[in-house]
Amino acid sequence: MIKFDHVTKMFQGGAKAVDDVNFTVEDGDIVVLLGPSGCGKTTLLRMVNRLESITSGDISIDNKSIKRLNDIELRRAIGYVIQSNGLFPNMTIESNVTIVPQLLRWDAKKRHNRYKELMQLIGLDPEKYAKRYPHELSGGQQQRVGVARALAADPPILLMDEPFGALDPIIREKLQDEFLQIQTEVKKTILFVSHDIDEAIKMGDKIALLRDGKIMQYDRPADLLTHPKNDFVSQFIGEDRMIKGLSLHTIKDLLREVGLAEMPHQHYDGKTVAGSQNLRNTLSILMNQGAEQVIVTDHNEQEIGAVTIDLIQRYIAKQIKGKTDASLPFERVVR
Amino acid sequence: MSRKKLITNVVRYVLYALMVLFFIWALQHHYLASIFTESDKFFVMLKQHLKLVVVSSFLAIIIAVPAGIIVTRKSFKKAEWLVSNVANLGQTIPSIAVLALMMGVLGLGFKTAIFALFIYSLLPIYRNTVAGINSVNDKLIDAAKGMGFKPYQILFRIELPNAAYSIIAGARTAIVLNIGTAALAFLIGGGGFGTWIFTGISLFNNDLLLSGAVPVILLAIMADYLLRLLEYLLVPKGVRRSAKTS
């Protein structure tokens, strides 16, 4: 658990980069620090491993103030991933991945085993890449290695500063999916800086939206989208926030809340979608096809009903009205 | 790229050919005869010359590299311009003037010559050390710091390996320059191949002149080759390519 308690950062000259920030990150959650550039999100992140000093207030990890911990030990217990990976060009992939265990003086055998484990986790062949150098890898591979390196000493906390920001959209999406998959296995407590609302919705269990060093709203993505607290928030998440929000819900949610339409009687040869598909893509399929409905299949590929635009509309309406209903399913989509 | 390579290779082989022709010409005219007829003298001068270069370069490296490391530390950053300017000033003075100045202070002799050569090779080594360390991407330093590297670990594991190419290139430049400049040591009684070169000039004796000058050239070429080999061995493989393309 990471707790931010009236955290303020003032630069020389009196500009406040971070202004009285309060929030708590629960264990195993991904919290996305979201905001326009210059909002203080990166500074806030770097205060956690004390790359930036705290002017006033306190940050505590598991109820222990980070001010009382030794800088070096604190940093070795926190994984750190930066944009464009920061792999060391003078070291092989294996040394890069196992550098923190090396600093912690693990023995060679343990390090090598850990290396193999991590490479399998990120889906790269350990033997093939052991003796290669960072420049021989593609951007996406480098970033994967960057993630593996941060996980090497199995730190409970990860700090990620726009880790996928320098990648092209297709690779970025792929790495986001892979990372969410990895997270289901490793269950780290993660602070994740991003300026991209779509990435925040996808990756975050919670989003802290910042502006000028202040937190505008700290909420689950679905709540942020359906109930923005002020004009800045609704402006930042955009006019299409409802459509963005649909990517957080699947047809299964819709089935549970409003049910599916009956199957069309006449012969139908349109597209079908899986029940695990999210509603944003479903809506897009519906509009693309120009059909009234699209057939839904369950995991056995059995047709179980149909979705219409009207149904999606009714589902949205129910979501907005039912915010206070805690039993509403807000499952994050993991593909 | 391959075109560029082709041109470099052509230029290189033309130079080699010219050198071979020069040697044939020199040997035919017995211009290198002194090396064989007075070979004990030759070896004494060779020893002197090498000693001048090795001692002065060694001293310069162990002073200039640490100096470059110190001024790139965060707490000394402000001193960098001062040190760099002093070092730059040192380089603008012609080498022969440095010798003359040193002679005024230290008198004639071998030690004076070594000291002057030492002063003269500080700058290229110092400047390349500073440039090499400064060119290491800040992001790498930041990543290293964020992962819990101690300052000395950042220096030895990140900064120096990534700056190695530049530092060694600086030392190579200084040493090769030094081999040539050491010929001037004769003027202040420092010995070396300058003895034959300057005697040859004043006596219009081509034999002595070339018997002194050719070994200096060969020494410089050999040193350059050996130091490139050392560079290849010392610079980490992952850095080599990026250093060459930049």
Side-chain angles (χ1 to χ4, degrees):
Chain A
M1 191 181 73
I2 311 170
K3 195 167 171 235
F4 293 82
D5 187 17
H6 298 285
V7 174
T8 299
K9 166 84 185 177
M10 212 166 337
F11 282 124
Q12 279 178 338
K16 272 185 182 167
V18 174
D19 193 355
D20 196 31
V21 164
N22 293 291
F23 70 98
T24 304
V25 182
E26 298 298 337
D27 286 341
D29 269 4
I30 300 180
V31 169
V32 178
L33 303 175
L34 178 68
S37 50
C39 72
K41 53 191 193 294
T42 297
T43 310
L44 187 59
L45 182 88
R46 289 163 60 88
M47 285 163 95
V48 178
N49 63 0
R50 301 234 313 241
L51 287 173
E52 300 280 356
S53 61
I54 303 172
T55 310
S56 69
D58 199 5
I59 299 172
S60 55
I61 295 173
D62 296 333
N63 295 318
K64 240 191 269 164
S65 165
I66 60 164
K67 287 178 179 170
R68 300 223 311 271
L69 298 166
N70 169 286
D71 272 7
I72 302 292
E73 277 158 37
L74 172 76
R75 288 172 190 157
R76 287 180 186 173
I78 298 177
Y80 186 45
V81 186
I82 60 173
Q83 194 179 350
S84 67
N85 69 67
L87 294 183
F88 304 128
N90 57 312
M91 297 181 195
T92 60
I93 298 304
E94 179 162 3
S95 332
N96 262 293
V97 170
T98 56
I99 187 72
V100 177
Q102 220 182 94
L103 297 177
L104 293 169
R105 295 177 194 286
W106 291 16
D107 65 65
K109 196 165 174 220
K110 194 174 162 197
R111 283 206 310 261
H112 186 63
N113 288 336
R114 182 65 182 151
Y115 165 74
K116 285 198 282 199
E117 237 174 81
L118 287 162
M119 291 298 272
Q120 268 145 19
L121 186 69
I122 59 166
L124 293 176
D125 179 0
E127 302 307 322
K128 188 173 161 197
Y129 291 101
K131 295 278 168 280
R132 301 238 179 136
Y133 285 87
H135 70 79
E136 297 172 273
L137 271 59
S138 71
Q141 289 172 330
Q142 288 185 16
Q143 202 59 46
R144 283 188 188 99
V145 174
V147 170
R149 183 173 68 174
L151 291 169
D154 206 14
I157 296 170
L158 280 190
L159 304 179
M160 308 181 82
D161 191 356
E162 305 215 18
F164 310 129
L167 304 170
D168 69 70
I170 294 166
I171 305 277
R172 187 189 310 152
E173 208 157 300
K174 198 163 162 242
L175 258 71
Q176 287 168 346
D177 294 338
E178 282 177 15
F179 184 72
L180 287 173
Q181 192 59 49
I182 290 172
Q183 167 67 354
T184 60
E185 285 174 47
V186 297
K187 295 197 179 58
K188 301 293 179 192
T189 307
I190 298 169
L191 272 175
F192 188 111
V193 165
S194 178
H195 62 262
D196 176 3
I197 175 78
D198 291 312
E199 184 174 62
I201 293 168
K202 184 172 179 182
M203 305 301 288
D205 292 300
K206 279 189 158 188
I207 296 175
L209 184 54
L210 286 112
R211 179 206 194 180
D212 298 336
K214 291 192 190 71
I215 290 206
M216 295 285 109
Q217 187 163 355
Y218 180 51
D219 252 323
R220 290 183 296 184
D223 293 340
L224 191 85
L225 290 166
T226 47
H227 297 87
K229 265 189 186 160
N230 57 38
D231 286 350
F232 173 77
V233 178
S234 49
Q235 222 173 56
F236 190 85
I237 57 187
E239 299 290 348
D240 61 342
R241 58 198 164 92
M242 276 304 153
I243 292 178
K244 278 176 182 150
L246 285 177
S247 64
L248 292 166
H249 306 273
T250 63
I251 294 176
K252 279 185 198 146
D253 299 333
L254 181 124
L255 171 68
R256 197 156 37 213
E257 288 298 309
V258 294
L260 293 175
E262 272 185 40
M263 299 272 293
H265 294 297
Q266 66 268 50
H267 179 67
Y268 174 81
D269 54 359
K271 228 178 168 177
T272 62
V273 292
S276 57
Q277 182 60 271
N278 74 50
L279 292 182
R280 186 178 181 167
N281 290 352
T282 310
L283 185 65
S284 168
I285 293 167
L286 271 167
M287 289 160 100
N288 244 337
Q289 201 163 276
E292 300 268 298
Q293 58 222 334
V294 60
I295 303 292
V296 180
T297 57
D298 64 9
H299 56 274
N300 293 324
E301 311 242 331
Q302 293 295 309
E303 300 181 352
I304 53 172
V307 181
T308 61
I309 294 187
D310 183 49
L311 270 179
I312 294 177
Q313 233 162 17
R314 264 166 54 200
Y315 180 76
I316 295 173
K318 208 167 173 193
Q319 294 301 314
I320 297 174
K321 216 172 63 200
K323 196 236 171 177
T324 44
D325 183 358
S327 66
L328 264 184
F330 281 100
E331 280 176 89
R332 203 180 49 226
V333 186
V334 179
R335 266 162 292 174
Chain B
M1 187 62 203
S2 64
R3 195 187 155 84
K4 220 168 150 185
K5 222 171 176 178
L6 186 79
I7 294 173
T8 6
N9 274 336
V10 168
V11 170
R12 180 180 297 158
Y13 290 118
V14 167
L15 274 176
Y16 286 163
L18 284 175
M19 261 169 60
V20 171
L21 283 176
F22 168 79
F23 273 104
I24 293 168
W25 172 79
L27 286 171
Q28 272 178 348
H29 291 77
H30 301 284
Y31 281 158
L32 298 173
S34 301
I35 296 176
F36 307 105
T37 53
E38 293 175 82
S39 52
D40 354 332
K41 228 179 177 180
F42 172 81
F43 284 114
V44 169
M45 284 189 306
L46 177 67
K47 223 172 116 188
Q48 282 174 337
H49 206 99
L50 284 176
K51 206 168 157 193
L52 281 168
V53 173
V54 170
V55 174
S56 62
S57 303
F58 177 75
L59 288 176
I61 290 169
I62 62 167
I63 300 291
V65 173
I69 291 171
I70 288 168
V71 300
T72 49
R73 296 310 91 194
K74 218 172 148 194
S75 39
F76 286 94
K77 268 266 143 87
K78 280 179 188 144
E80 192 193 319
W81 72 270
L82 182 77
V83 180
S84 299
N85 276 325
V86 170
N88 268 321
L89 193 74
Q91 193 74 9
T92 52
I93 305 171
S95 43
I96 205 154
V98 175
L99 282 170
L101 278 172
M102 285 306 130
M103 192 177 71
V105 182
L106 294 173
L108 289 168
F110 192 70
K111 277 184 191 151
T112 316
I114 282 187
F115 193 75
L117 288 172
F118 155 74
I119 294 282
Y120 207 60
S121 28
L122 282 174
L123 183 80
I125 303 173
Y126 165 81
R127 201 164 44 187
N128 272 37
T129 306
V130 172
I133 291 176
N134 280 340
S135 72
V136 177
N137 194 335
D138 286 342
K139 277 210 161 134
L140 296 183
I141 313 282
D142 189 67
K145 225 170 134 185
M147 292 193 305
F149 280 62
K150 292 173 182 163
Y152 76 87
Q153 289 168 329
I154 294 181
L155 174 67
F156 287 107
R157 287 170 184 252
I158 312 298
E159 288 181 299
L160 289 182
N162 285 298
Y165 182 83
S166 176
I167 296 173
I168 298 171
R172 179 162 55 81
T173 312
I175 293 170
V176 172
L177 266 176
N178 243 348
I179 291 173
T181 315
L184 299 177
F186 163 74
L187 297 177
I188 54 168
F193 284 122
T195 317
W196 276 357
I197 296 174
F198 286 101
T199 315
I201 291 173
S202 40
L203 298 179
F204 295 107
N205 184 334
N206 273 346
D207 173 14
L208 271 185
L209 173 59
L210 288 179
S211 297
V214 169
V216 173
I217 297 168
L218 290 179
L219 268 183
I221 292 172
M222 258 165 54
D224 191 59
Y225 180 78
L226 285 176
L227 290 165
R228 274 178 202 277
L229 206 70
L230 188 74
E231 191 175 280
Y232 187 80
L233 294 174
L234 285 182
V235 176
K237 202 178 148 211
V239 181
R240 240 180 261 154
R241 194 195 76 127
S242 54
K244 261 185 194 154
T245 49
S246 66

